[in-house]
Amino acid sequence: QVRVVESGGGLVQAGGSLRLSCAASGDTLSRYVMAWFRQAPGGEREFVAYISWSGDTAYYADSVKGRFIISKDNYANSGYLEMNNLVHEDTAVYYCALRTDGTTAYDTGKYAYWGQGTQVTVSS
């Protein structure tokens, strides 16, 4: 069974950048589509970005479009979320999620494999 571990979170000033990593083990990442979700304090877990099996198709939530970039390196068995021009509202725990079904999905319930999350805090 695949295991997922996120890293790269931290404290950053508004306008700054962070790069989150999602390391997969136990299986090859090329069998999975990957998504990033986030959950702010007191809020629901929400979709951030999605990337296809091969990494050639990506979708973003409107709130991060133009600022975040999702990518996937199947050879390294890792995925990434590059976050630029961060704002206070981006503060949340960020989760990497995987699913084997190749259809695009934005709901948390569609993803079977999750990491433990990594905290991103943006100071204003």
Side-chain angles (χ1 to χ4, degrees):
Q1 179 171 326
V2 68
R3 293 174 296 279
V4 180
V5 177
E6 305 95 336
S7 62
L11 175 63
V12 62
Q13 288 187 334
S17 299
L18 279 176
R19 188 190 195 210
L20 305 184
S21 297
C22 173
S25 61
D27 201 353
T28 177
L29 190 59
S30 60
R31 295 186 60 238
Y32 300 86
V33 299
M34 185 181 77
W36 287 91
F37 291 80
R38 67 186 182 185
Q39 187 166 15
E44 295 186 352
R45 196 167 297 189
E46 64 176 10
F47 170 79
V48 174
Y50 158 98
I51 192 164
S52 61
W53 281 322
S54 62
D56 60 354
T57 301
Y59 298 100
Y60 298 91
D62 288 342
S63 58
V64 307
K65 200 172 296 182
R67 300 188 297 122
F68 289 13
I69 301 172
I70 188 172
S71 62
K72 192 168 177 269
D73 185 343
N74 288 330
Y75 293 102
N77 242 33
S78 293
Y80 308 95
L81 184 68
E82 182 179 340
M83 307 186 295
N84 301 305
N85 195 19
L86 285 161
V87 298
H88 179 68
E89 290 71 25
D90 294 320
T91 296
V93 177
Y94 283 72
Y95 297 89
C96 177
L98 305 180
R99 66 193 297 252
T100 54
D101 189 318
T103 55
T104 307
Y106 308 108
D107 296 332
T108 57
K110 300 291 187 182
Y111 290 83
Y113 307 102
W114 292 82
Q116 81 291 346
T118 185
Q119 175 71 48
V120 172
T121 303
V122 183
S123 62
S124 55

